[in-house]
Amino acid sequence: MHESWKNVRAMLEELSPFSCEWDEDSSKTPMKNYHLLSVLRRMAEEEETLSIRGITDYAYELRTLFPNASCHYEGFFETQNEYKKLFVKCFERLERQGFTTSTVDELIDFLRCLVKLDLIQLHPSETLTVFFINILLKRVGWSEALNTWQKFLSIIHRGSTFLSQSRITAMHLAVLIGMKRFEEAEKACEQTSIEIDPNDCLMAMRLMNSLKARSFDDQFMLDFAALCLRKLGMAKNKEAAQSMQADLLRICENGYSNPMDS
């Protein structure tokens, strides 16, 4: 039986008082974080007009109703599946209503809210950022997708206990080069106190290349490789340097490439 959205909200409020029974071991609560993500998706489906601010506010309300429904490793795959379905639904509704750059900012705030409330966690293997950016590439173009990725990096940077500062910095530099903000990238290299792992540089280059496969500009690969060699000591790591060289040679041979597909 498909309950009306109004009835679903009422039932959740009735269930809330029982959530305190699992205060001693929140991992055993029957109401899981991915169930709440499913509830948010239901809201995204059934509200007459989807308001991202409204759904963000309701996420806070759900956290108050079910304080123990937090992320746990055991629910990693269920959580990943649910947050993808949630954002797909949000994008579908928003595209029909009119997708704008301000809408993107609201979605970023919504994501930040979900992380803050411990309804989702961005793990090293998470795919939400790439999934999100790929949708934006189709909807609003490369420049706005890059701007959005910068905002993702700020979320990751503030909440990160799982992603190294080396990798975050390499990704940030790759974004700057992709946006052709060369002087800013050079300055960031000179000012950083972090020793950047050459393998993180290689990862960032390949990820950017993968994201931009639809409108590939081989100049990005060349510019980022030059920065890594001149400013980040890439040449000191023979294996990483050879891998980057192989990617660049593939560009010369094919005119474009997507190393993440190989």
Side-chain angles (χ1 to χ4, degrees):
M1 180 179 178
H2 189 72
E3 289 287 347
S4 71
W5 172 234
K6 182 179 179 180
N7 287 346
V8 169
R9 294 188 70 157
M11 285 190 293
L12 289 170
E13 291 174 7
E14 291 173 2
L15 287 171
S16 174
F18 300 100
S19 64
C20 62
E21 294 182 17
W22 289 273
D23 284 347
E24 292 185 6
D25 187 354
S26 62
S27 66
K28 289 185 167 44
T29 177
M31 180 64 80
K32 306 296 186 183
N33 66 302
Y34 46 85
H35 294 142
L36 300 187
L37 293 173
S38 178
V39 170
L40 292 171
R41 175 165 53 88
R42 179 74 184 276
M43 181 179 184
E45 288 175 346
E46 302 210 11
E47 289 288 288
E48 185 174 344
T49 300
L50 175 60
S51 164
I52 297 301
R53 294 189 185 279
I55 200 172
T56 300
D57 290 342
Y58 191 55
Y60 280 100
E61 185 177 337
L62 286 175
R63 167 53 71 230
T64 301
L65 292 173
F66 301 99
N68 293 320
S70 299
C71 284
H72 293 281
Y73 179 76
E74 293 79 6
F76 173 77
F77 292 107
E78 291 88 347
T79 299
Q80 188 176 67
N81 184 47
E82 283 299 335
Y83 71 55
K84 279 190 176 182
K85 289 195 290 186
L86 169 60
F87 277 94
V88 165
K89 181 53 62 178
C90 287
F91 274 111
E92 286 177 354
R93 291 291 310 275
L94 291 170
E95 192 166 31
R96 290 197 294 268
Q97 293 175 197
F99 200 83
T100 65
T101 53
S102 62
T103 310
V104 174
D105 289 335
E106 290 181 359
L107 284 168
I108 290 290
D109 288 339
F110 180 44
L111 172 64
R112 188 179 290 114
C113 160
L114 296 180
V115 173
K116 178 181 178 181
L117 296 178
D118 201 24
L119 290 175
I120 69 172
Q121 291 178 348
L122 298 181
H123 295 271
S125 58
E126 64 85 21
T127 57
L128 179 59
T129 51
V130 175
F131 166 76
F132 203 118
I133 297 302
N134 271 316
I135 290 178
L136 290 177
L137 281 173
K138 300 173 188 176
R139 304 298 196 273
V140 294
W142 174 244
S143 295
E144 186 57 37
L146 275 179
N147 287 331
T148 301
W149 198 17
Q150 272 202 307
K151 294 170 186 175
F152 270 125
L153 289 177
S154 71
I155 296 172
I156 292 171
H157 179 74
R158 284 197 296 271
S160 177
T161 57
F162 51 83
L163 204 60
S164 72
Q165 289 300 310
S166 168
R167 180 159 295 192
I168 291 171
T169 303
M171 291 166 68
H172 177 62
L173 292 171
V175 169
L176 292 177
I177 293 295
M179 298 174 77
K180 303 189 184 303
R181 290 158 60 177
F182 304 117
E183 291 184 6
E184 192 174 341
E186 295 258 353
K187 188 175 181 180
C189 287
E190 293 166 0
Q191 292 180 342
T192 185
S193 59
I194 298 164
E195 184 175 350
I196 300 176
D197 186 337
N199 288 307
D200 289 335
C201 294
L202 185 62
M203 177 281 304
M205 185 177 76
R206 287 178 168 177
L207 180 56
M208 289 286 285
N209 186 22
S210 175
L211 290 174
K212 205 174 182 182
R214 290 177 174 273
S215 54
F216 187 77
D217 175 8
D218 58 12
Q219 193 61 45
F220 161 75
M221 294 276 280
L222 297 172
D223 291 337
F224 186 64
L227 181 76
C228 292
L229 290 168
R230 287 188 296 103
K231 296 290 186 179
L232 302 177
M234 185 80 174
K236 295 178 183 177
N237 186 310
K238 185 177 180 180
E239 184 177 348
Q242 287 178 337
S243 295
M244 183 174 282
Q245 183 183 46
D247 289 348
L248 293 170
L249 286 173
R250 195 176 293 121
I251 292 176
C252 298
E253 292 170 358
N254 301 330
Y256 67 92
S257 70
N258 188 347
M260 293 188 80
D261 289 342
S262 59

